[in-house]
Amino acid sequence: MEMTPLRTLISLYISFAHLSDDVLAKEEMNSILKKIIEWVPEENPDTVTQAFKEVYAQYHTFDSYQGWIKILKESVSSVRKMFEDKEKFLTVLNDLVGIAMSDKKFKDTERQMINICAEKWGVDFKI
């Protein structure tokens, strides 16, 4: 599967939501899909949903924590290369906060992961 910018964001959001607490709740999946659709308003929502399903299926072909961490690291690195505008990074970081809050449980690991992303992307963003 080709990793387009859209698929990279989906991968980042899925791995963030899963690895922050070892659970990918339905609320988080719905939040991810909503955020991704906002990134590409010109795309048919069914096309975006299909891309989400494909990335989700590929993510779950890895059956180890190490594999999932690798996907997260690759996604963070790829997002760094995707954007030059700091506002885009802020949007991604705010998306991560929204995904973290979607299950009504904002955990310290989620906060730490978001702050690490901000640092890797060179953005002044602390929560």
Side-chain angles (χ1 to χ4, degrees):
M1 172 173 44
E2 178 187 354
M3 286 307 286
T4 63
L6 176 65
R7 290 174 188 275
T8 296
L9 284 174
I10 294 169
S11 182
L12 172 68
Y13 292 176
I14 288 173
S15 58
F16 166 78
H18 176 238
L19 289 169
S20 61
D21 60 6
D22 290 330
V23 175
L24 187 54
K26 183 176 182 175
E27 297 87 3
E28 291 171 319
M29 290 178 30
N30 291 337
S31 179
I32 291 167
L33 192 53
K34 180 181 173 203
K35 303 266 181 216
I36 293 300
I37 289 171
E38 290 172 3
W39 274 98
V40 288
E42 71 283 357
E43 289 287 336
N44 180 324
D46 292 338
T47 303
V48 178
T49 301
Q50 183 59 37
F52 175 87
K53 288 177 181 178
E54 290 169 4
V55 172
Y56 179 81
Q58 182 183 18
Y59 179 81
H60 284 287
T61 62
F62 292 90
D63 60 355
S64 74
Y65 190 74
Q66 299 312 106
W68 295 324
I69 289 288
K70 181 180 179 207
I71 291 171
L72 178 63
K73 287 180 177 180
E74 288 173 357
S75 298
V76 169
S77 177
S78 293
V79 167
R80 175 68 184 115
K81 296 172 188 169
M82 280 172 39
F83 303 123
E84 293 181 20
D85 180 2
K86 298 260 187 201
E87 291 300 314
K88 300 277 189 195
F89 293 116
L90 291 173
T91 300
V92 173
L93 292 165
N94 281 312
D95 284 354
L96 293 176
V97 170
I99 292 164
M101 297 294 294
S102 66
D103 64 357
K104 310 290 189 249
K105 303 172 192 169
F106 193 72
K107 296 183 174 51
D108 194 48
T109 53
E110 292 168 322
R111 180 184 331 281
Q112 290 170 0
M113 289 173 72
I114 291 168
N115 288 337
I116 288 169
C117 287
E119 181 181 319
K120 295 279 186 198
W121 298 333
V123 178
D124 185 24
F125 186 94
K126 293 278 189 218
I127 55 168

